[in-house]
Amino acid sequence: MVALDVPPEADIQRIQTLLEHGEANGWWHWEEGCVTAAWEASASAKDG
């Protein structure tokens, strides 16, 4: 298990895209733990 601490100035959408790409290719599985409002908003923007 690995935990990532994503700093607030990071490109959140790019990180989410990378995580999803790796999972789609069978490289890893990922789950969200404690997330910020910015992370949730980014995920909602991609889904909507």
Side-chain angles (χ1 to χ4, degrees):
M1 178 185 296
V2 175
L4 301 176
D5 186 11
V6 179
E9 65 274 5
D11 185 341
I12 294 173
Q13 282 193 314
R14 188 170 181 186
I15 293 168
Q16 289 172 336
T17 299
L18 175 64
L19 291 169
E20 292 166 356
H21 176 75
E23 186 169 39
N25 284 295
W27 298 337
W28 53 66
H29 170 77
W30 67 284
E31 298 178 12
E32 298 168 324
C34 182
V35 298
T36 64
W39 182 273
E40 290 178 345
S42 178
S44 295
K46 285 174 42 179
D47 293 339

PDB file of all heavy atoms in Angstrom, residues 5-46:
ATOM      1  N   ASP A   5       0.414  12.126  -0.785  1.00  0.00           N
ATOM      2  CA  ASP A   5       0.001  13.405  -0.221  1.00  0.00           C
ATOM      3  C   ASP A   5       0.179  14.437  -1.328  1.00  0.00           C
ATOM      4  O   ASP A   5       1.293  14.801  -1.676  1.00  0.00           O
ATOM      5  CB  ASP A   5       0.870  13.745   0.992  1.00  0.00           C
ATOM      6  CG  ASP A   5       0.411  14.993   1.709  1.00  0.00           C
ATOM      7  OD1 ASP A   5      -0.695  15.493   1.406  1.00  0.00           O
ATOM      8  OD2 ASP A   5       1.152  15.470   2.571  1.00  0.00           O
ATOM      9  N   VAL A   6      -0.915  14.860  -1.904  1.00  0.00           N
ATOM     10  CA  VAL A   6      -0.882  15.772  -3.045  1.00  0.00           C
ATOM     11  C   VAL A   6      -0.941  17.205  -2.527  1.00  0.00           C
ATOM     12  O   VAL A   6      -1.913  17.585  -1.876  1.00  0.00           O
ATOM     13  CB  VAL A   6      -2.058  15.485  -4.005  1.00  0.00           C
ATOM     14  CG1 VAL A   6      -2.046  16.453  -5.169  1.00  0.00           C
ATOM     15  CG2 VAL A   6      -2.010  14.038  -4.476  1.00  0.00           C
ATOM     16  N   PRO A   7       0.081  18.009  -2.818  1.00  0.00           N
ATOM     17  CA  PRO A   7       0.084  19.390  -2.326  1.00  0.00           C
ATOM     18  C   PRO A   7      -0.997  20.231  -3.004  1.00  0.00           C
ATOM     19  O   PRO A   7      -1.410  19.940  -4.130  1.00  0.00           O
ATOM     20  CB  PRO A   7       1.482  19.898  -2.674  1.00  0.00           C
ATOM     21  CG  PRO A   7       1.985  19.001  -3.745  1.00  0.00           C
ATOM     22  CD  PRO A   7       1.283  17.690  -3.587  1.00  0.00           C
ATOM     23  N   PRO A   8      -1.462  21.280  -2.340  1.00  0.00           N
ATOM     24  CA  PRO A   8      -2.554  22.096  -2.886  1.00  0.00           C
ATOM     25  C   PRO A   8      -2.231  22.746  -4.235  1.00  0.00           C
ATOM     26  O   PRO A   8      -3.138  22.978  -5.028  1.00  0.00           O
ATOM     27  CB  PRO A   8      -2.785  23.173  -1.834  1.00  0.00           C
ATOM     28  CG  PRO A   8      -1.965  22.813  -0.659  1.00  0.00           C
ATOM     29  CD  PRO A   8      -1.027  21.727  -1.036  1.00  0.00           C
ATOM     30  N   GLU A   9      -0.968  23.018  -4.503  1.00  0.00           N
ATOM     31  CA  GLU A   9      -0.609  23.679  -5.761  1.00  0.00           C
ATOM     32  C   GLU A   9      -0.461  22.704  -6.930  1.00  0.00           C
ATOM     33  O   GLU A   9      -0.221  23.112  -8.064  1.00  0.00           O
ATOM     34  CB  GLU A   9       0.682  24.495  -5.592  1.00  0.00           C
ATOM     35  CG  GLU A   9       1.914  23.681  -5.305  1.00  0.00           C
ATOM     36  CD  GLU A   9       2.135  23.354  -3.828  1.00  0.00           C
ATOM     37  OE1 GLU A   9       1.297  23.661  -2.974  1.00  0.00           O
ATOM     38  OE2 GLU A   9       3.176  22.759  -3.542  1.00  0.00           O
ATOM     39  N   ALA A  10      -0.645  21.413  -6.677  1.00  0.00           N
ATOM     40  CA  ALA A  10      -0.509  20.399  -7.732  1.00  0.00           C
ATOM     41  C   ALA A  10      -1.659  20.487  -8.738  1.00  0.00           C
ATOM     42  O   ALA A  10      -2.745  20.972  -8.424  1.00  0.00           O
ATOM     43  CB  ALA A  10      -0.477  19.008  -7.119  1.00  0.00           C
ATOM     44  N   ASP A  11      -1.408  20.008  -9.937  1.00  0.00           N
ATOM     45  CA  ASP A  11      -2.433  19.935 -10.988  1.00  0.00           C
ATOM     46  C   ASP A  11      -3.294  18.708 -10.691  1.00  0.00           C
ATOM     47  O   ASP A  11      -2.989  17.595 -11.120  1.00  0.00           O
ATOM     48  CB  ASP A  11      -1.760  19.833 -12.357  1.00  0.00           C
ATOM     49  CG  ASP A  11      -2.733  19.864 -13.509  1.00  0.00           C
ATOM     50  OD1 ASP A  11      -3.940  19.607 -13.305  1.00  0.00           O
ATOM     51  OD2 ASP A  11      -2.285  20.128 -14.634  1.00  0.00           O
ATOM     52  N   ILE A  12      -4.361  18.915  -9.952  1.00  0.00           N
ATOM     53  CA  ILE A  12      -5.182  17.812  -9.444  1.00  0.00           C
ATOM     54  C   ILE A  12      -5.792  16.998 -10.578  1.00  0.00           C
ATOM     55  O   ILE A  12      -5.786  15.766 -10.537  1.00  0.00           O
ATOM     56  CB  ILE A  12      -6.262  18.341  -8.480  1.00  0.00           C
ATOM     57  CG1 ILE A  12      -5.580  18.916  -7.227  1.00  0.00           C
ATOM     58  CG2 ILE A  12      -7.244  17.243  -8.097  1.00  0.00           C
ATOM     59  CD1 ILE A  12      -6.524  19.620  -6.280  1.00  0.00           C
ATOM     60  N   GLN A  13      -6.323  17.655 -11.594  1.00  0.00           N
ATOM     61  CA  GLN A  13      -6.925  16.907 -12.706  1.00  0.00           C
ATOM     62  C   GLN A  13      -5.894  16.027 -13.399  1.00  0.00           C
ATOM     63  O   GLN A  13      -6.204  14.909 -13.795  1.00  0.00           O
ATOM     64  CB  GLN A  13      -7.588  17.848 -13.697  1.00  0.00           C
ATOM     65  CG  GLN A  13      -8.939  18.328 -13.209  1.00  0.00           C
ATOM     66  CD  GLN A  13      -9.729  19.002 -14.307  1.00  0.00           C
ATOM     67  OE1 GLN A  13      -9.192  19.830 -15.041  1.00  0.00           O
ATOM     68  NE2 GLN A  13     -10.993  18.668 -14.400  1.00  0.00           N
ATOM     69  N   ARG A  14      -4.683  16.511 -13.547  1.00  0.00           N
ATOM     70  CA  ARG A  14      -3.637  15.714 -14.191  1.00  0.00           C
ATOM     71  C   ARG A  14      -3.296  14.476 -13.348  1.00  0.00           C
ATOM     72  O   ARG A  14      -3.111  13.393 -13.888  1.00  0.00           O
ATOM     73  CB  ARG A  14      -2.400  16.575 -14.402  1.00  0.00           C
ATOM     74  CG  ARG A  14      -1.356  15.907 -15.228  1.00  0.00           C
ATOM     75  CD  ARG A  14      -0.274  16.870 -15.610  1.00  0.00           C
ATOM     76  NE  ARG A  14       0.718  16.194 -16.432  1.00  0.00           N
ATOM     77  CZ  ARG A  14       1.824  16.731 -16.829  1.00  0.00           C
ATOM     78  NH1 ARG A  14       2.105  17.976 -16.500  1.00  0.00           N
ATOM     79  NH2 ARG A  14       2.675  16.058 -17.549  1.00  0.00           N
ATOM     80  N   ILE A  15      -3.249  14.644 -12.046  1.00  0.00           N
ATOM     81  CA  ILE A  15      -2.965  13.515 -11.160  1.00  0.00           C
ATOM     82  C   ILE A  15      -4.092  12.493 -11.226  1.00  0.00           C
ATOM     83  O   ILE A  15      -3.856  11.285 -11.338  1.00  0.00           O
ATOM     84  CB  ILE A  15      -2.734  14.003  -9.724  1.00  0.00           C
ATOM     85  CG1 ILE A  15      -1.441  14.819  -9.673  1.00  0.00           C
ATOM     86  CG2 ILE A  15      -2.689  12.839  -8.743  1.00  0.00           C
ATOM     87  CD1 ILE A  15      -1.233  15.587  -8.393  1.00  0.00           C
ATOM     88  N   GLN A  16      -5.331  12.962 -11.187  1.00  0.00           N
ATOM     89  CA  GLN A  16      -6.469  12.045 -11.276  1.00  0.00           C
ATOM     90  C   GLN A  16      -6.465  11.295 -12.607  1.00  0.00           C
ATOM     91  O   GLN A  16      -6.730  10.091 -12.655  1.00  0.00           O
ATOM     92  CB  GLN A  16      -7.785  12.804 -11.098  1.00  0.00           C
ATOM     93  CG  GLN A  16      -7.987  13.289  -9.685  1.00  0.00           C
ATOM     94  CD  GLN A  16      -9.184  14.194  -9.538  1.00  0.00           C
ATOM     95  OE1 GLN A  16      -9.628  14.825 -10.502  1.00  0.00           O
ATOM     96  NE2 GLN A  16      -9.721  14.286  -8.334  1.00  0.00           N
ATOM     97  N   THR A  17      -6.152  11.993 -13.684  1.00  0.00           N
ATOM     98  CA  THR A  17      -6.092  11.358 -15.002  1.00  0.00           C
ATOM     99  C   THR A  17      -5.020  10.281 -15.037  1.00  0.00           C
ATOM    100  O   THR A  17      -5.235   9.188 -15.566  1.00  0.00           O
ATOM    101  CB  THR A  17      -5.841  12.415 -16.099  1.00  0.00           C
ATOM    102  OG1 THR A  17      -6.938  13.348 -16.081  1.00  0.00           O
ATOM    103  CG2 THR A  17      -5.736  11.787 -17.470  1.00  0.00           C
ATOM    104  N   LEU A  18      -3.858  10.571 -14.466  1.00  0.00           N
ATOM    105  CA  LEU A  18      -2.771   9.591 -14.411  1.00  0.00           C
ATOM    106  C   LEU A  18      -3.181   8.361 -13.601  1.00  0.00           C
ATOM    107  O   LEU A  18      -2.954   7.225 -14.029  1.00  0.00           O
ATOM    108  CB  LEU A  18      -1.511  10.214 -13.812  1.00  0.00           C
ATOM    109  CG  LEU A  18      -0.353   9.256 -13.587  1.00  0.00           C
ATOM    110  CD1 LEU A  18       0.155   8.693 -14.906  1.00  0.00           C
ATOM    111  CD2 LEU A  18       0.767   9.938 -12.839  1.00  0.00           C
ATOM    112  N   LEU A  19      -3.804   8.570 -12.458  1.00  0.00           N
ATOM    113  CA  LEU A  19      -4.249   7.445 -11.640  1.00  0.00           C
ATOM    114  C   LEU A  19      -5.273   6.587 -12.388  1.00  0.00           C
ATOM    115  O   LEU A  19      -5.198   5.354 -12.377  1.00  0.00           O
ATOM    116  CB  LEU A  19      -4.841   7.956 -10.319  1.00  0.00           C
ATOM    117  CG  LEU A  19      -3.841   8.573  -9.340  1.00  0.00           C
ATOM    118  CD1 LEU A  19      -4.581   9.265  -8.206  1.00  0.00           C
ATOM    119  CD2 LEU A  19      -2.886   7.522  -8.810  1.00  0.00           C
ATOM    120  N   GLU A  20      -6.217   7.231 -13.052  1.00  0.00           N
ATOM    121  CA  GLU A  20      -7.233   6.498 -13.809  1.00  0.00           C
ATOM    122  C   GLU A  20      -6.614   5.748 -14.985  1.00  0.00           C
ATOM    123  O   GLU A  20      -7.010   4.618 -15.292  1.00  0.00           O
ATOM    124  CB  GLU A  20      -8.310   7.467 -14.287  1.00  0.00           C
ATOM    125  CG  GLU A  20      -9.132   8.022 -13.141  1.00  0.00           C
ATOM    126  CD  GLU A  20      -9.972   9.221 -13.520  1.00  0.00           C
ATOM    127  OE1 GLU A  20      -9.883   9.697 -14.672  1.00  0.00           O
ATOM    128  OE2 GLU A  20     -10.708   9.708 -12.638  1.00  0.00           O
ATOM    129  N   HIS A  21      -5.649   6.357 -15.650  1.00  0.00           N
ATOM    130  CA  HIS A  21      -4.964   5.720 -16.782  1.00  0.00           C
ATOM    131  C   HIS A  21      -4.233   4.455 -16.315  1.00  0.00           C
ATOM    132  O   HIS A  21      -4.339   3.408 -16.959  1.00  0.00           O
ATOM    133  CB  HIS A  21      -3.974   6.710 -17.409  1.00  0.00           C
ATOM    134  CG  HIS A  21      -3.153   6.135 -18.523  1.00  0.00           C
ATOM    135  ND1 HIS A  21      -3.667   5.910 -19.782  1.00  0.00           N
ATOM    136  CD2 HIS A  21      -1.867   5.733 -18.555  1.00  0.00           C
ATOM    137  CE1 HIS A  21      -2.716   5.378 -20.545  1.00  0.00           C
ATOM    138  NE2 HIS A  21      -1.615   5.276 -19.821  1.00  0.00           N
ATOM    139  N   GLY A  22      -3.508   4.555 -15.221  1.00  0.00           N
ATOM    140  CA  GLY A  22      -2.797   3.395 -14.693  1.00  0.00           C
ATOM    141  C   GLY A  22      -3.735   2.274 -14.291  1.00  0.00           C
ATOM    142  O   GLY A  22      -3.448   1.100 -14.527  1.00  0.00           O
ATOM    143  N   GLU A  23      -4.856   2.621 -13.711  1.00  0.00           N
ATOM    144  CA  GLU A  23      -5.821   1.595 -13.326  1.00  0.00           C
ATOM    145  C   GLU A  23      -6.441   0.942 -14.561  1.00  0.00           C
ATOM    146  O   GLU A  23      -6.588  -0.283 -14.624  1.00  0.00           O
ATOM    147  CB  GLU A  23      -6.909   2.189 -12.438  1.00  0.00           C
ATOM    148  CG  GLU A  23      -7.856   1.126 -11.909  1.00  0.00           C
ATOM    149  CD  GLU A  23      -8.768   1.644 -10.835  1.00  0.00           C
ATOM    150  OE1 GLU A  23      -9.240   2.800 -10.936  1.00  0.00           O
ATOM    151  OE2 GLU A  23      -9.030   0.883  -9.892  1.00  0.00           O
ATOM    152  N   ALA A  24      -6.767   1.743 -15.572  1.00  0.00           N
ATOM    153  CA  ALA A  24      -7.361   1.213 -16.804  1.00  0.00           C
ATOM    154  C   ALA A  24      -6.409   0.247 -17.512  1.00  0.00           C
ATOM    155  O   ALA A  24      -6.858  -0.693 -18.173  1.00  0.00           O
ATOM    156  CB  ALA A  24      -7.735   2.359 -17.741  1.00  0.00           C
ATOM    157  N   ASN A  25      -5.108   0.473 -17.366  1.00  0.00           N
ATOM    158  CA  ASN A  25      -4.110  -0.399 -17.995  1.00  0.00           C
ATOM    159  C   ASN A  25      -3.686  -1.562 -17.096  1.00  0.00           C
ATOM    160  O   ASN A  25      -2.795  -2.324 -17.462  1.00  0.00           O
ATOM    161  CB  ASN A  25      -2.879   0.418 -18.393  1.00  0.00           C
ATOM    162  CG  ASN A  25      -3.140   1.227 -19.637  1.00  0.00           C
ATOM    163  OD1 ASN A  25      -3.349   0.681 -20.709  1.00  0.00           O
ATOM    164  ND2 ASN A  25      -3.171   2.540 -19.498  1.00  0.00           N
ATOM    165  N   GLY A  26      -4.309  -1.694 -15.937  1.00  0.00           N
ATOM    166  CA  GLY A  26      -4.022  -2.797 -15.039  1.00  0.00           C
ATOM    167  C   GLY A  26      -2.710  -2.653 -14.274  1.00  0.00           C
ATOM    168  O   GLY A  26      -2.209  -3.628 -13.734  1.00  0.00           O
ATOM    169  N   TRP A  27      -2.171  -1.437 -14.230  1.00  0.00           N
ATOM    170  CA  TRP A  27      -0.899  -1.221 -13.541  1.00  0.00           C
ATOM    171  C   TRP A  27      -1.084  -1.128 -12.036  1.00  0.00           C
ATOM    172  O   TRP A  27      -0.192  -1.442 -11.274  1.00  0.00           O
ATOM    173  CB  TRP A  27      -0.203   0.036 -14.050  1.00  0.00           C
ATOM    174  CG  TRP A  27       0.147  -0.016 -15.501  1.00  0.00           C
ATOM    175  CD1 TRP A  27       0.322  -1.142 -16.271  1.00  0.00           C
ATOM    176  CD2 TRP A  27       0.342   1.082 -16.376  1.00  0.00           C
ATOM    177  NE1 TRP A  27       0.619  -0.788 -17.560  1.00  0.00           N
ATOM    178  CE2 TRP A  27       0.645   0.575 -17.660  1.00  0.00           C
ATOM    179  CE3 TRP A  27       0.301   2.457 -16.199  1.00  0.00           C
ATOM    180  CZ2 TRP A  27       0.908   1.389 -18.744  1.00  0.00           C
ATOM    181  CZ3 TRP A  27       0.565   3.264 -17.283  1.00  0.00           C
ATOM    182  CH2 TRP A  27       0.861   2.725 -18.539  1.00  0.00           C
ATOM    183  N   TRP A  28      -2.228  -0.617 -11.586  1.00  0.00           N
ATOM    184  CA  TRP A  28      -2.500  -0.471 -10.167  1.00  0.00           C
ATOM    185  C   TRP A  28      -3.990  -0.277  -9.945  1.00  0.00           C
ATOM    186  O   TRP A  28      -4.763  -0.078 -10.863  1.00  0.00           O
ATOM    187  CB  TRP A  28      -1.742   0.712  -9.560  1.00  0.00           C
ATOM    188  CG  TRP A  28      -1.941   2.027 -10.266  1.00  0.00           C
ATOM    189  CD1 TRP A  28      -3.087   2.764 -10.363  1.00  0.00           C
ATOM    190  CD2 TRP A  28      -0.967   2.754 -11.003  1.00  0.00           C
ATOM    191  NE1 TRP A  28      -2.885   3.901 -11.097  1.00  0.00           N
ATOM    192  CE2 TRP A  28      -1.579   3.930 -11.501  1.00  0.00           C
ATOM    193  CE3 TRP A  28       0.380   2.561 -11.285  1.00  0.00           C
ATOM    194  CZ2 TRP A  28      -0.909   4.875 -12.252  1.00  0.00           C
ATOM    195  CZ3 TRP A  28       1.040   3.502 -12.037  1.00  0.00           C
ATOM    196  CH2 TRP A  28       0.404   4.641 -12.519  1.00  0.00           C
ATOM    197  N   HIS A  29      -4.368  -0.356  -8.704  1.00  0.00           N
ATOM    198  CA  HIS A  29      -5.716  -0.022  -8.253  1.00  0.00           C
ATOM    199  C   HIS A  29      -5.543   1.136  -7.274  1.00  0.00           C
ATOM    200  O   HIS A  29      -4.574   1.176  -6.527  1.00  0.00           O
ATOM    201  CB  HIS A  29      -6.369  -1.214  -7.550  1.00  0.00           C
ATOM    202  CG  HIS A  29      -7.642  -0.857  -6.856  1.00  0.00           C
ATOM    203  ND1 HIS A  29      -8.827  -0.673  -7.522  1.00  0.00           N
ATOM    204  CD2 HIS A  29      -7.906  -0.620  -5.552  1.00  0.00           C
ATOM    205  CE1 HIS A  29      -9.769  -0.348  -6.659  1.00  0.00           C
ATOM    206  NE2 HIS A  29      -9.234  -0.311  -5.452  1.00  0.00           N
ATOM    207  N   TRP A  30      -6.443   2.076  -7.293  1.00  0.00           N
ATOM    208  CA  TRP A  30      -6.326   3.187  -6.351  1.00  0.00           C
ATOM    209  C   TRP A  30      -7.669   3.523  -5.737  1.00  0.00           C
ATOM    210  O   TRP A  30      -8.719   3.243  -6.304  1.00  0.00           O
ATOM    211  CB  TRP A  30      -5.698   4.414  -7.011  1.00  0.00           C
ATOM    212  CG  TRP A  30      -6.542   5.060  -8.078  1.00  0.00           C
ATOM    213  CD1 TRP A  30      -6.734   4.606  -9.350  1.00  0.00           C
ATOM    214  CD2 TRP A  30      -7.317   6.245  -7.959  1.00  0.00           C
ATOM    215  NE1 TRP A  30      -7.567   5.458 -10.030  1.00  0.00           N
ATOM    216  CE2 TRP A  30      -7.938   6.488  -9.194  1.00  0.00           C
ATOM    217  CE3 TRP A  30      -7.532   7.155  -6.932  1.00  0.00           C
ATOM    218  CZ2 TRP A  30      -8.770   7.571  -9.430  1.00  0.00           C
ATOM    219  CZ3 TRP A  30      -8.362   8.246  -7.173  1.00  0.00           C
ATOM    220  CH2 TRP A  30      -8.961   8.437  -8.408  1.00  0.00           C
ATOM    221  N   GLU A  31      -7.602   4.053  -4.555  1.00  0.00           N
ATOM    222  CA  GLU A  31      -8.783   4.494  -3.828  1.00  0.00           C
ATOM    223  C   GLU A  31      -8.488   5.841  -3.204  1.00  0.00           C
ATOM    224  O   GLU A  31      -7.341   6.158  -2.914  1.00  0.00           O
ATOM    225  CB  GLU A  31      -9.129   3.502  -2.717  1.00  0.00           C
ATOM    226  CG  GLU A  31      -9.471   2.116  -3.215  1.00  0.00           C
ATOM    227  CD  GLU A  31      -9.753   1.146  -2.075  1.00  0.00           C
ATOM    228  OE1 GLU A  31      -9.909   1.592  -0.920  1.00  0.00           O
ATOM    229  OE2 GLU A  31      -9.798  -0.053  -2.346  1.00  0.00           O
ATOM    230  N   GLU A  32      -9.520   6.604  -2.981  1.00  0.00           N
ATOM    231  CA  GLU A  32      -9.375   7.892  -2.308  1.00  0.00           C
ATOM    232  C   GLU A  32      -9.553   7.680  -0.816  1.00  0.00           C
ATOM    233  O   GLU A  32     -10.406   6.915  -0.389  1.00  0.00           O
ATOM    234  CB  GLU A  32     -10.426   8.874  -2.811  1.00  0.00           C
ATOM    235  CG  GLU A  32     -10.296   9.168  -4.285  1.00  0.00           C
ATOM    236  CD  GLU A  32     -11.482   9.907  -4.837  1.00  0.00           C
ATOM    237  OE1 GLU A  32     -12.617   9.653  -4.398  1.00  0.00           O
ATOM    238  OE2 GLU A  32     -11.270  10.739  -5.723  1.00  0.00           O
ATOM    239  N   GLY A  33      -8.732   8.371  -0.060  1.00  0.00           N
ATOM    240  CA  GLY A  33      -8.849   8.345   1.393  1.00  0.00           C
ATOM    241  C   GLY A  33      -9.430   9.659   1.863  1.00  0.00           C
ATOM    242  O   GLY A  33     -10.565  10.006   1.570  1.00  0.00           O
ATOM    243  N   CYS A  34      -8.626  10.422   2.521  1.00  0.00           N
ATOM    244  CA  CYS A  34      -9.009  11.749   3.007  1.00  0.00           C
ATOM    245  C   CYS A  34      -8.751  12.741   1.877  1.00  0.00           C
ATOM    246  O   CYS A  34      -7.603  12.951   1.496  1.00  0.00           O
ATOM    247  CB  CYS A  34      -8.198  12.095   4.249  1.00  0.00           C
ATOM    248  SG  CYS A  34      -8.617  13.680   4.956  1.00  0.00           S
ATOM    249  N   VAL A  35      -9.799  13.317   1.326  1.00  0.00           N
ATOM    250  CA  VAL A  35      -9.639  14.212   0.179  1.00  0.00           C
ATOM    251  C   VAL A  35     -10.111  15.622   0.528  1.00  0.00           C
ATOM    252  O   VAL A  35     -10.953  15.815   1.401  1.00  0.00           O
ATOM    253  CB  VAL A  35     -10.399  13.698  -1.065  1.00  0.00           C
ATOM    254  CG1 VAL A  35      -9.862  12.358  -1.502  1.00  0.00           C
ATOM    255  CG2 VAL A  35     -11.883  13.601  -0.802  1.00  0.00           C
ATOM    256  N   THR A  36      -9.568  16.593  -0.187  1.00  0.00           N
ATOM    257  CA  THR A  36      -9.947  17.991   0.025  1.00  0.00           C
ATOM    258  C   THR A  36     -11.140  18.355  -0.862  1.00  0.00           C
ATOM    259  O   THR A  36     -11.502  17.625  -1.782  1.00  0.00           O
ATOM    260  CB  THR A  36      -8.776  18.917  -0.331  1.00  0.00           C
ATOM    261  OG1 THR A  36      -8.498  18.776  -1.729  1.00  0.00           O
ATOM    262  CG2 THR A  36      -7.536  18.594   0.484  1.00  0.00           C
ATOM    263  N   ALA A  37     -11.705  19.511  -0.591  1.00  0.00           N
ATOM    264  CA  ALA A  37     -12.801  20.013  -1.414  1.00  0.00           C
ATOM    265  C   ALA A  37     -12.325  20.233  -2.854  1.00  0.00           C
ATOM    266  O   ALA A  37     -13.076  19.987  -3.806  1.00  0.00           O
ATOM    267  CB  ALA A  37     -13.355  21.302  -0.829  1.00  0.00           C
ATOM    268  N   ALA A  38     -11.071  20.662  -3.022  1.00  0.00           N
ATOM    269  CA  ALA A  38     -10.524  20.876  -4.372  1.00  0.00           C
ATOM    270  C   ALA A  38     -10.450  19.559  -5.143  1.00  0.00           C
ATOM    271  O   ALA A  38     -10.749  19.502  -6.339  1.00  0.00           O
ATOM    272  CB  ALA A  38      -9.139  21.517  -4.286  1.00  0.00           C
ATOM    273  N   TRP A  39     -10.070  18.484  -4.480  1.00  0.00           N
ATOM    274  CA  TRP A  39      -9.994  17.165  -5.125  1.00  0.00           C
ATOM    275  C   TRP A  39     -11.391  16.723  -5.552  1.00  0.00           C
ATOM    276  O   TRP A  39     -11.597  16.271  -6.673  1.00  0.00           O
ATOM    277  CB  TRP A  39      -9.378  16.147  -4.167  1.00  0.00           C
ATOM    278  CG  TRP A  39      -9.227  14.779  -4.751  1.00  0.00           C
ATOM    279  CD1 TRP A  39     -10.161  13.782  -4.759  1.00  0.00           C
ATOM    280  CD2 TRP A  39      -8.091  14.249  -5.435  1.00  0.00           C
ATOM    281  NE1 TRP A  39      -9.666  12.664  -5.398  1.00  0.00           N
ATOM    282  CE2 TRP A  39      -8.395  12.934  -5.815  1.00  0.00           C
ATOM    283  CE3 TRP A  39      -6.839  14.765  -5.752  1.00  0.00           C
ATOM    284  CZ2 TRP A  39      -7.497  12.124  -6.496  1.00  0.00           C
ATOM    285  CZ3 TRP A  39      -5.951  13.936  -6.423  1.00  0.00           C
ATOM    286  CH2 TRP A  39      -6.286  12.643  -6.789  1.00  0.00           C
ATOM    287  N   GLU A  40     -12.349  16.864  -4.653  1.00  0.00           N
ATOM    288  CA  GLU A  40     -13.727  16.474  -4.970  1.00  0.00           C
ATOM    289  C   GLU A  40     -14.288  17.317  -6.116  1.00  0.00           C
ATOM    290  O   GLU A  40     -14.976  16.800  -6.988  1.00  0.00           O
ATOM    291  CB  GLU A  40     -14.613  16.584  -3.734  1.00  0.00           C
ATOM    292  CG  GLU A  40     -14.297  15.531  -2.690  1.00  0.00           C
ATOM    293  CD  GLU A  40     -15.131  15.663  -1.439  1.00  0.00           C
ATOM    294  OE1 GLU A  40     -15.760  16.723  -1.223  1.00  0.00           O
ATOM    295  OE2 GLU A  40     -15.147  14.706  -0.653  1.00  0.00           O
ATOM    296  N   ALA A  41     -14.014  18.606  -6.115  1.00  0.00           N
ATOM    297  CA  ALA A  41     -14.503  19.491  -7.184  1.00  0.00           C
ATOM    298  C   ALA A  41     -13.885  19.111  -8.523  1.00  0.00           C
ATOM    299  O   ALA A  41     -14.569  19.125  -9.548  1.00  0.00           O
ATOM    300  CB  ALA A  41     -14.187  20.945  -6.858  1.00  0.00           C
ATOM    301  N   SER A  42     -12.629  18.746  -8.517  1.00  0.00           N
ATOM    302  CA  SER A  42     -11.956  18.341  -9.753  1.00  0.00           C
ATOM    303  C   SER A  42     -12.567  17.059 -10.296  1.00  0.00           C
ATOM    304  O   SER A  42     -12.798  16.928 -11.491  1.00  0.00           O
ATOM    305  CB  SER A  42     -10.465  18.158  -9.503  1.00  0.00           C
ATOM    306  OG  SER A  42      -9.820  17.729 -10.675  1.00  0.00           O
ATOM    307  N   ALA A  43     -12.825  16.110  -9.413  1.00  0.00           N
ATOM    308  CA  ALA A  43     -13.442  14.854  -9.841  1.00  0.00           C
ATOM    309  C   ALA A  43     -14.850  15.098 -10.379  1.00  0.00           C
ATOM    310  O   ALA A  43     -15.236  14.517 -11.395  1.00  0.00           O
ATOM    311  CB  ALA A  43     -13.488  13.867  -8.670  1.00  0.00           C
ATOM    312  N   SER A  44     -15.598  15.975  -9.745  1.00  0.00           N
ATOM    313  CA  SER A  44     -16.959  16.294 -10.196  1.00  0.00           C
ATOM    314  C   SER A  44     -16.927  16.985 -11.555  1.00  0.00           C
ATOM    315  O   SER A  44     -17.777  16.734 -12.404  1.00  0.00           O
ATOM    316  CB  SER A  44     -17.653  17.193  -9.188  1.00  0.00           C
ATOM    317  OG  SER A  44     -17.834  16.526  -7.976  1.00  0.00           O
ATOM    318  N   ALA A  45     -15.961  17.841 -11.763  1.00  0.00           N
ATOM    319  CA  ALA A  45     -15.844  18.560 -13.046  1.00  0.00           C
ATOM    320  C   ALA A  45     -15.567  17.590 -14.183  1.00  0.00           C
ATOM    321  O   ALA A  45     -16.070  17.758 -15.290  1.00  0.00           O
ATOM    322  CB  ALA A  45     -14.750  19.610 -12.957  1.00  0.00           C
ATOM    323  N   LYS A  46     -14.765  16.561 -13.927  1.00  0.00           N
ATOM    324  CA  LYS A  46     -14.452  15.578 -14.959  1.00  0.00           C
ATOM    325  C   LYS A  46     -15.651  14.701 -15.281  1.00  0.00           C
ATOM    326  O   LYS A  46     -15.867  14.303 -16.399  1.00  0.00           O
ATOM    327  CB  LYS A  46     -13.283  14.698 -14.507  1.00  0.00           C
ATOM    328  CG  LYS A  46     -11.959  15.407 -14.586  1.00  0.00           C
ATOM    329  CD  LYS A  46     -10.816  14.600 -14.021  1.00  0.00           C
ATOM    330  CE  LYS A  46     -10.864  13.165 -14.404  1.00  0.00           C
ATOM    331  NZ  LYS A  46      -9.773  12.375 -13.901  1.00  0.00           N
TER     332      LYS A  46
END
